[in-house]
Each structure stands twice: as C-alpha cells, then as structure tokens.
Amino acid sequence: TILGETHEEEDEILPRKDYESLDYDRCINDPYLEVLESMDNKKAQRYEAVKWVMVFAIGVCTGLVGLFVDFFVRLFTQLKFRVVQSSVEECTEKGCLALSLLELLGFNLTFVFLASLLVLIQPVAAGSGIPEIKCYLNGVKVPGVVRLRTVVCKAMGVLFSVAGGLFVGKEGPMIHSGAVVGAGLPQFQSISLRKIRFNFPYFRSDRDKRDFVSAGAAAGVAAAFGAPIGGTLFSLEEGSSFWNQGLTWKVLFCSMAATFTLNFFRSGIQFGSWGSFQLPGLLNFGEFKCSESDKKCHLWTAVDLGFFILMGIVGGLLGATFNCLNKRLAKYRMRNVHPKPKLVRVLESLLVSLTTTVVVFVASMVLGECRQMSATSHSGNDTLSLQGMSEDVNSSIKTFFCPNETYNDMATLFFNPQESAILQLFHQDGTFSPVTLSLFFLLYFLLSCWTYGISVPSGLFVPSLLCGAAFGRLVANLLKSYIGLDHIYSGTFALIGAAAFLGGVVRMTISLTVILIESTNEITYGLPIMITLMVAKWTGDFFNKGIYDIHVNLRGVPLLEWETEVEMDKLRASDIMEPNLTYVYPHTRIQSLVSILRTTVHHAFPVVTENRGNEREFMKGNQLISNNIKFKKSSILTRAGEQRKRSQSMKSYPSSELRNMCDEHIATEEPPEKEDLLQQMLERRYTPYPNLYPDQSPSEEWTMEERFRPLTFHGLILRSQLVTLLVRGVCYSESQSSASQPRLSHAEMSEDYPRYPDIHDLDLTLLNPRMIVDVTPYMNPSPFAVSPNTHVSQVFNLFRTMGLRHLPVVNAVGEIVGIITRHNLTHEFLQARLRQHYQTI
C-alpha cells in the first residue's frame, strides 16, 4: 500500500557516525574555576543583563529579516501579477493567451533560477530548515546550519522561490533564519567576515549558543505567524532538551520582540499608521465572524465536533500519503539527482517551476467555473483591520476568462499569493464549486509534494494550510448542499481542514494548536483545533512519521526522541557502551598526543592511570570488582593490542609497563592477603596522580589479566582542548616539574570557539615531540558518569535531559570500562542491541 512502509525500507538509512554532538555540559576544569573565583554578584548581574539585551536584539533582527522577505515577496508578486493580469485581459479578447503564458513563465523561471543559484552557494539553505534546526536543538551539530552565509542565501532564496510561483511558503525558512540570527549575533564574528572582529568575551560555549538558537527559532515562528507563545512552545516541543524557567522567560521575551518589531514596521509601511500594530505576523487568518443578518449562524456547535473528528482522521490519512510520496521522491533524488553535477538540481527546480506554471494557467483557463459575485457589505462599526481584511478578500477575486459580474473561482485560488487564497477560503462569502475545490486540492497536493525537497528554500506550512483549507471548504460545501446543514460556517470548516492536513503532515501538537489559536485570534476555536490535531497525529502516526522526522532520518542524523521504549529497559549501560577506549595519561608526551589525535576521530578521551593498588584484589576475584570484570573481557585483547601498539610506536608514558602486554602468559601463584580494599581506597583518595616513572618493572610471569591492568578514571578531556594546548605550546621538559608548564586562562582556551584548529593543520616543526603535556588542569574531573548496571532508560534520560556529549561508564571502584555517546542511544542502535540480547538469552 502507499501508506505502509516495509521494515526493509526503514532500515536502509542508519544514523551516520560523522555527526557530532553539542557540548551542553559545563567543563569544570581549573581555568573555569578561576573564572568562578573571580565572579561576584555584580559580574553575574552584568552577565545576565547582557544576555537579556542579546535576546532582545535577536528578536528585533529576526523581525527585520521577516520584514525584508515579506516586503520583497509582496513587491515582486504584485509586479508579476499586474503585468500578467493586464496581458490576460487583453489577450482574452485578441486570442493571444500563449503570450500571457510566456510572460508568466518568464517571471517564474527567472525567480526560481535565482533561488536555485543561491542554494548552490550554500546547499544547507535548501528546504525549510526546520529539520536542521530540530537537530540542532536536539544537540546535534549540523555543519553550516547556523552560518551567516546560510541566512543570507535562505532569506534571499525564499523570496525568489515564493515570488516565482512555486507552491512553497516563507514561514518555515523564517524559523531557520531566526535560529541563525540567534546563533550568530551573540558571537560578534563570522567566518564569512573574518576581518571584522570584536572583543566580545561572552557566550563562547555550545551551552550559551544553543540557548540563543532556541530563542531565535521561537522568534522565527513568532514573526511568521504572529504567535509568540506558539513560538516558545515550538522551541520547547521540537527538542531543546535542557529547559528551565529562566530560559522560557527569555525565549518568550525574544518572541514578543520579533512579533512587535515586524508588526510595527508592516503596519507603518502598509497602512501608513505607525505605531498602530495591526498586522501581527507574515500570515494572518483574519477575523472569523458570522454576518449579523444571519441569526442561525454560529462559528461552531457541539454537533460539528463529530465532523471535525472525521476531518482529523481524513487529514491524518492525507498527511501520511503526502509524507510517504515525499519520502519516495526524496530517496529517488538522493540516488539519481544529488550524485550528478549541481546543474542538474537547478534544472530540476526549473522543471518543477515550468510544470507548476503551465498547470496553474491551464487549470484556470479550462477548469475554472464562472460564479456570480455576492455583494458583501459590512456594518459601519467594523474595525479598520476587518475592513482591510474584507477589502483584501474582495479585491483578490479574479475575473479571468469570465463575463462581467462573475469571477473565475479556480483563477481566484491560483492567481493570488497563497496567503490571499487562504483568506478567500476562510472568509469569502461567494461559493467555490465542489468540482473546483476537488481539482484544486488534487493539483495542489501533488505539486506541493513534488516541490518540497528541490534545491530552493521552501516552507511547507502555507501550502499545507492552503491544501487543507480547500479540503475543509469542500466538506462544508457538501454538508450544506447535500445534507442540508445550513447552520454551519464555511470558514470554520476551512480552518479545521487546514489544521487537520497540516497536523497530518508535520505531526506537531502543542505548539501547532497554540499557533493556530493565536493566528485566528479566536480562543473559542481552541477545543476543535486541539481535537482535530490530536486525531490527525494519531491517525498519521499509525502509518509513518512526520515530514520533518522523515527528512531527519534520510540525512542519517542521530536524533534522540523524548524517551526510550519500555522494552529497552532489558538492556544495561554495559550492553550499549563502547568498550574499546582510546585514552591519555595525566602526563603524556607530545609525540603520543599528536599520534592519538591524528589516528582517531574521537572528540573526547578519558584521562586514566593504571590501577596498581587494586591489581591483586582484581586478580583474586574480590566480589566488589569482579562484578564488572565481565564487561571488560570481550575487549581485553583489542585494548591490550592497542596499548602495546601505542607503547612501541608512540612511547607513551608509562611505556615500560606495557612492553610485554600480549606475550604468552604463565600462571602465577596466589598473592598474599592484603589489607581491606575500602581502607586502601580511602587512604588513596587524596593522593596526587602517580609520577611519570613506573616504580615496578614488568614481570615475565604476569598473566594476561595482570598485563591488562584496570584503568582508574580521573576525568575527560576534549579533542579541542588538547589541540588548543598543543597550538599554544603548553608543555614542560623531562628535566622540569609539571609546575613549570605555562597556564592558560578560560578566555584563551575558548578563544577559537566555535572553530578550533584541526590537528592535521598543526605545524609540528615548532614542537619538540619529547616534551610532556600535563592535561590534568584542563580536563573535566567531574563529568556525569553511570555504573555498568544502570538501566538504559536512566542512561537515556540523563544524557538527553542534561544535553551530554560523552557519558563515561565507571565501575564500583572508579575504573572506566566504557563510554556512551549519542550514537549508542539512537533508536536503531538500541534495537540492534536488543536483538542481540534476545539471541544470547
């Protein structure tokens, strides 16, 4: 069936390993502690004040980006329709309609070509950007997604693709644009403008950046729909894993700033009444109001709820069909379009534009019906905005190819900006014939499905709303004409149809409900919208995922859901961790560090020492330790081999202990009884890290277990920190003590954020490979850690809620036995481990 997807299809694309996580957890190392020591209430208040100023600035800038896009879309669209409309009116009499079609094609193809070229400059600017921002808020670093070049290409590209008559919206890309503004503005620098640098010491971490991206994404929603609360809930619902009251307040403030900035300028530019705040967002649904002459009319009644639930079911089915078709198209593009030269993507965009234009023109000319105009008069006490809305609805009626006093209902929907067409379906008193609405829905459904995914910036909200509104209006027409329900209000059914279809496609719940309520400015619609969206989501989820989740999966991004499935609790941390560790010692030669960094792709390394004190207890099978030995045995040979390789090729300290690691082992005699293990641990608790030189030589009589010594875990150090230490020459010679090593401040450690130097670009001629680096002041000595016996749901909740990047697995006596990253917690990885678990049972 078209809705059902086979299990084999789902398994085709697994999460890729080359995506990194963002580091939301703070690294509490010595430089950070120095910052804390110097921090007082005054500095903390200043830091908080700067944060509020930045949040306000992000909101204002996002509003201005929305204003820029809206102004030029309106300008280009009006220019295009004015030229084409006058040509059609002339050519209807003269019989030269082919010329009008060529004019329309000329405009549309030019605009779409420009939009495609901008995407060639920055490929990540294609599409709506919501899947990418969803990933970023979930804690995944998507390359190039929050760059300045991206927002420029996105904003300019979307105005060309909307003006070019493609069935795309400008609201989705607004969310991406807001997120980029949020990421870039507080940094006061850009890789595209390298020469412009400000000395702005704040917010140099993933933690701060991710908070600002949350605020920017919310501001984008707020500017697009005039829905600040909906924007805040969108940011919360779509993945910001670490959330608190302070962040909620800042995000809402940012959303308000964006909404009112856009409102202020749009009201001033369009109505000339500066300061009147009449146009809250880029998309306004207008005021839903029964005409006062019709006493039977109600916006909705309890009886209508039954129809709304049925519409929700149909909306979910239609949404699932849309998503399935779009997924197959996307897979086809990945196999046949993307590997080819970039020009092919531009040609595909032009082909879609050509087809859309011809279909729109021919459908309006051949399939439209000429309907009688209804004289709508509004009472004198109507508000200015309602009069404006009503005039807008009436002025956008198109009379193409029809005699006087009639209008072409198909052309009225196709030859208008999408926002005007939505208003027509919500508020136009004149009827649209059921045949017209059915054909319009079918054509729009297929063409918008084909369009989403081509190489232009494109939103999906408005095409889905328009498609759904046509479906809702069709239902209202059928109920009125064939069942005789005269009391129903067509606008309400159009709104519910729009909500049902959009909910069936994107599967958002809380935020979408609030966005639609805020857009309609009618709280009485809260219940029907909420019920419709819930039913649409449940129906659609029965068949496939939402469109954004589908595109996230197609990219292979390791996205973490809100929680794991119940059966995953059969697994423990030891079942999913990575036991083959690459680690560093507290004091390591530069030669060794460079080799580790160049031969691995890991982004963090445990800092360990070999646990000599526990060695005999370890061998004797002390209960406390031996519980966890089984988690190591599978990796003994691989790790022993890795240690031996390092000891011979890199001369890493302490190398003399590791020389004979993998030789044939000979049984040892039982060691003498030692003092109580707990007492040993307590005595060693405050001892410094072991010195560089081993005080015990390897014995030929050691067994494999003795050679494979337990590793005491002291902390985690990031790749970026190690590279920074090497670049800045932080080391000391063998003849000196580690106290002579230069110290770096927190500002120096984070100066290169977010683009730290690459180890492969390092000039090694400046470094003496025999020098030693003491990493202990710069490692995080107290990262979050879990026991090997921790259930997966606990591991998942800790990782997801705290926004972690690496989670060490440490046994009962402080030895590291493995490490967990985002890739170990993806649904696909957990499913694979669960299958293994069942097989071993």
Side-chain angles (χ1 to χ4, degrees):
T1 60
I2 196 166
L3 298 179
E5 295 176 26
T6 61
H7 193 66
E8 289 73 21
E9 260 187 29
E10 296 259 81
D11 284 346
E12 279 177 18
I13 298 167
L14 294 172
R16 285 164 39 191
K17 290 289 178 75
D18 53 347
Y19 281 107
E20 297 172 42
S21 289
L22 295 165
D23 234 344
Y24 201 75
D25 188 26
R26 284 199 181 95
C27 178
I28 315 288
N29 54 13
D30 286 3
Y32 185 77
L33 290 174
E34 286 167 14
V35 172
L36 283 184
E37 288 294 327
S38 65
M39 185 71 76
D40 54 20
N41 281 344
K42 203 175 221 179
K43 282 187 178 175
Q45 285 167 0
R46 188 189 309 149
Y47 184 80
E48 192 66 12
V50 172
K51 220 172 200 176
W52 279 99
V53 170
M54 290 315 308
V55 162
F56 177 72
I58 289 166
V60 170
C61 290
T62 305
L64 292 174
V65 170
L67 180 74
F68 166 81
V69 171
D70 179 64
F71 180 81
F72 283 101
V73 165
R74 195 176 289 271
L75 188 73
F76 291 152
T77 309
Q78 283 175 350
L79 171 71
K80 178 179 79 173
F81 283 136
R82 196 182 305 125
V83 171
V84 172
Q85 192 164 345
S86 61
S87 169
V88 167
E89 283 165 2
E90 279 180 33
C91 286
T92 307
E93 296 164 11
K94 295 179 184 176
C96 57
L97 283 172
L99 190 64
S100 305
L101 177 58
L102 285 175
E103 282 182 8
L104 187 59
L105 277 171
F107 275 113
N108 286 354
L109 291 175
T110 305
F111 287 145
V112 172
F113 179 67
L114 290 171
S116 291
L117 286 184
L118 286 162
V119 169
L120 289 188
I121 297 169
Q122 186 69 359
V124 82
S128 71
I130 294 177
E132 289 86 352
I133 295 308
K134 189 172 176 175
C135 295
Y136 197 94
L137 294 179
N138 194 264
V140 183
K141 198 177 285 184
V142 183
V145 77
V146 288
R147 299 238 331 241
L148 177 67
R149 189 194 294 173
T150 306
V151 76
V152 172
C153 293
K154 193 89 178 181
M156 293 182 68
V158 77
L159 69 90
F160 285 127
S161 55
V162 174
L166 289 176
F167 292 168
V168 300
K170 55 182 182 283
E171 282 67 22
M174 271 303 304
I175 299 168
H176 189 179
S177 302
V180 181
V181 170
L185 200 61
Q187 299 295 311
F188 278 97
Q189 65 180 46
S190 164
I191 199 167
S192 306
L193 305 169
R194 285 188 188 85
K195 292 182 181 175
I196 303 173
R197 290 185 76 87
F198 295 93
N199 184 19
F200 190 70
Y202 301 101
F203 317 128
R204 316 292 294 161
S205 71
D206 282 347
R207 187 186 186 87
D208 291 321
K209 192 170 186 176
R210 192 159 148 205
D211 286 351
F212 286 127
V213 168
S214 300
V221 177
F225 298 100
I229 300 167
T232 307
L233 289 172
F234 170 83
S235 206
L236 174 61
E237 184 183 356
E238 287 302 326
S240 298
S241 54
F242 190 86
W243 200 265
N244 57 40
Q245 186 189 6
L247 184 59
T248 311
W249 195 216
K250 289 186 186 76
V251 168
L252 182 59
F253 177 64
C254 185
S255 302
M256 286 289 182
T259 304
F260 283 95
T261 301
L262 185 65
N263 200 337
F264 176 78
F265 284 105
R266 282 191 77 204
S267 302
I269 291 168
Q270 283 187 39
F271 293 123
S273 52
W274 292 91
S276 61
F277 297 109
Q278 293 167 22
L279 296 168
L282 296 180
L283 180 66
N284 299 315
F285 290 165
E287 191 173 346
F288 288 79
K289 197 174 181 181
C290 285
S291 61
E292 295 187 4
S293 58
D294 189 356
K295 297 296 181 191
K296 285 184 181 176
C297 174
H298 300 284
L299 289 182
W300 64 279
T301 62
V303 179
D304 297 336
L305 278 177
F307 294 118
F308 297 160
I309 289 169
L310 290 173
M311 287 171 74
I313 292 170
V314 177
L317 291 170
L318 290 169
T321 310
F322 184 96
N323 292 357
C324 186
L325 289 172
N326 192 263
K327 182 178 180 180
R328 294 190 175 192
L329 264 172
K331 283 184 173 177
Y332 177 82
R333 286 188 179 112
M334 287 167 71
R335 284 193 296 265
N336 301 309
V337 178
H338 294 175
K340 291 182 180 170
K342 289 183 176 179
L343 190 63
V344 176
R345 300 187 196 188
V346 178
L347 291 174
E348 188 200 14
S349 305
L350 293 174
L351 175 65
V352 173
S353 176
L354 177 74
T355 310
T356 305
T357 308
V358 171
V359 166
V360 163
F361 196 85
V362 172
S364 301
M365 191 166 72
V366 177
L367 304 174
E369 289 189 23
C370 295
R371 317 281 296 182
Q372 197 67 34
M373 284 193 193
S374 62
T376 54
S377 58
H378 289 273
S379 54
N381 61 355
D382 275 352
T383 59
L384 173 64
S385 67
L386 184 58
Q387 281 178 356
M389 201 64 72
S390 161
E391 286 163 17
D392 191 29
V393 168
N394 289 331
S395 65
S396 58
I397 288 172
K398 301 294 178 190
T399 59
F400 290 1
F401 323 117
C402 280
N404 291 340
E405 296 303 313
T406 58
Y407 67 95
N408 184 329
D409 56 358
M410 188 73 89
T412 299
L413 294 175
F414 271 138
F415 271 87
N416 270 315
Q418 294 172 92
E419 288 82 355
S420 301
I422 290 174
L423 288 176
Q424 286 285 346
L425 291 165
F426 284 173
H427 302 294
Q428 175 59 269
D429 289 342
T431 55
F432 295 91
S433 77
V435 176
T436 299
L437 287 171
S438 305
L439 288 168
F440 175 79
F441 174 80
L442 185 67
L443 292 172
Y444 216 94
F445 180 92
L446 294 172
L447 284 170
S448 57
C449 186
W450 185 23
T451 306
Y452 188 73
I454 60 172
S455 290
V456 295
S458 56
L460 196 61
F461 271 92
V462 172
S464 301
L465 285 169
L466 183 49
C467 220
F471 155 65
R473 190 72 187 242
L474 175 63
V475 172
N477 278 12
L478 294 175
L479 290 177
K480 275 185 174 178
S481 308
Y482 297 105
I483 302 180
L485 297 176
D486 293 332
H487 74 279
I488 63 175
Y489 179 61
S490 301
T492 301
F493 275 77
L495 175 67
I496 296 300
F501 187 73
L502 182 57
V505 171
V506 301
R507 313 282 163 79
M508 285 155 53
T509 48
I510 315 166
S511 51
L512 193 56
T513 306
V514 176
I515 287 168
L516 292 173
I517 292 170
E518 286 184 278
S519 299
T520 55
N521 207 15
E522 185 62 66
I523 194 66
T524 53
Y525 280 138
L527 181 65
I529 287 173
M530 188 173 165
I531 287 174
T532 308
L533 285 173
M534 281 165 61
V535 172
K537 177 178 164 55
W538 291 337
T539 307
D541 283 344
F542 188 74
F543 297 104
N544 52 27
K545 291 184 174 181
I547 190 79
Y548 300 135
D549 290 320
I550 284 172
H551 280 267
V552 166
N553 289 351
L554 288 174
R555 285 178 175 80
V557 179
L559 200 73
L560 299 185
E561 301 297 333
W562 278 103
E563 52 195 17
T564 57
E565 293 169 6
V566 178
E567 63 176 347
M568 294 302 172
D569 255 355
K570 294 171 185 172
L571 299 174
R572 307 288 177 100
S574 56
D575 297 319
I576 64 168
M577 70 187 185
E578 176 54 58
N580 297 321
L581 303 174
T582 306
Y583 44 86
V584 297
Y585 295 109
H587 303 261
T588 311
R589 289 204 191 277
I590 284 180
Q591 177 183 356
S592 175
L593 278 184
V594 170
S595 184
I596 291 168
L597 290 168
R598 285 191 167 176
T599 54
T600 65
V601 291
H602 305 307
H603 288 273
F605 304 94
V607 180
V608 301
T609 50
E610 294 188 6
N611 194 345
R612 281 190 219 101
N614 286 352
E615 182 177 305
R616 295 296 175 193
E617 295 289 338
F618 174 94
M619 274 308 302
K620 219 181 89 187
N622 177 288
Q623 193 58 38
L624 183 65
I625 306 173
S626 64
N627 279 342
N628 294 303
I629 295 304
K630 61 178 181 178
F631 305 132
K632 296 180 175 184
K633 284 202 170 166
S634 64
S635 60
I636 281 177
L637 279 171
T638 52
R639 276 177 58 190
E642 189 252 347
Q643 271 194 331
R644 183 181 187 192
K645 183 178 69 183
R646 278 180 51 194
S647 67
Q648 290 177 349
S649 65
M650 297 186 263
K651 302 292 186 287
S652 172
Y653 273 103
S655 57
S656 57
E657 294 181 14
L658 309 171
R659 201 174 300 122
N660 302 309
M661 183 138 296
C662 292
D663 297 344
E664 284 298 316
H665 62 82
I666 302 163
T668 59
E669 56 193 51
E670 184 70 20
E673 191 67 37
K674 284 203 174 181
E675 59 183 298
D676 180 53
L677 179 67
L678 185 62
Q679 190 59 37
Q680 289 179 29
M681 290 172 64
L682 289 172
E683 283 174 3
R684 283 205 314 276
R685 192 161 51 160
Y686 298 109
T687 55
Y689 297 108
N691 61 6
L692 280 168
Y693 300 100
D695 53 14
Q696 181 189 355
S697 297
S699 162
E700 292 299 322
E701 296 168 0
W702 277 3
T703 62
M704 170 59 79
E705 280 86 354
E706 283 178 298
R707 291 177 186 133
F708 185 72
R709 286 235 172 90
L711 301 171
T712 302
F713 178 65
H714 296 293
L716 268 182
I717 189 153
L718 298 177
R719 169 180 286 269
S720 57
Q721 292 171 327
L722 288 174
V723 174
T724 303
L725 296 179
L726 291 174
V727 166
R728 294 180 177 270
V730 177
C731 53
Y732 66 98
S733 69
E734 219 164 314
S735 58
Q736 299 171 313
S737 76
S738 58
S740 62
Q741 176 174 279
R743 301 295 296 267
L744 292 185
S745 67
H746 187 260
E748 288 170 319
M749 287 294 289
S750 59
E751 188 179 333
D752 292 318
Y753 178 84
R755 291 176 188 85
Y756 292 101
D758 187 0
I759 186 66
H760 299 285
D761 301 335
L762 206 59
D763 185 5
L764 291 179
T765 55
L766 304 174
L767 297 170
N768 177 356
R770 304 294 298 166
M771 297 286 272
I772 300 160
V773 180
D774 177 9
V775 300
T776 53
Y778 305 100
M779 71 182 184
N780 183 0
S782 52
F784 287 97
V786 291
S787 148
N789 294 320
T790 312
H791 286 276
V792 159
S793 62
Q794 294 170 290
V795 174
F796 187 91
N797 289 340
L798 176 66
F799 197 97
R800 174 94 166 66
T801 310
M802 301 313 298
L804 303 182
R805 189 176 182 183
H806 306 96
L807 185 59
V809 182
V810 179
N811 70 13
V813 290
E815 296 158 5
I816 185 164
V817 292
I819 203 159
I820 291 171
T821 64
R822 169 177 291 275
H823 298 281
N824 303 102
L825 292 169
T826 58
H827 180 71
E828 292 80 4
F829 185 88
L830 292 178
Q831 286 281 13
R833 286 304 160 101
L834 192 63
R835 285 196 291 273
Q836 283 181 15
H837 174 75
Y838 285 138
Q839 286 166 8
T840 53
I841 291 173

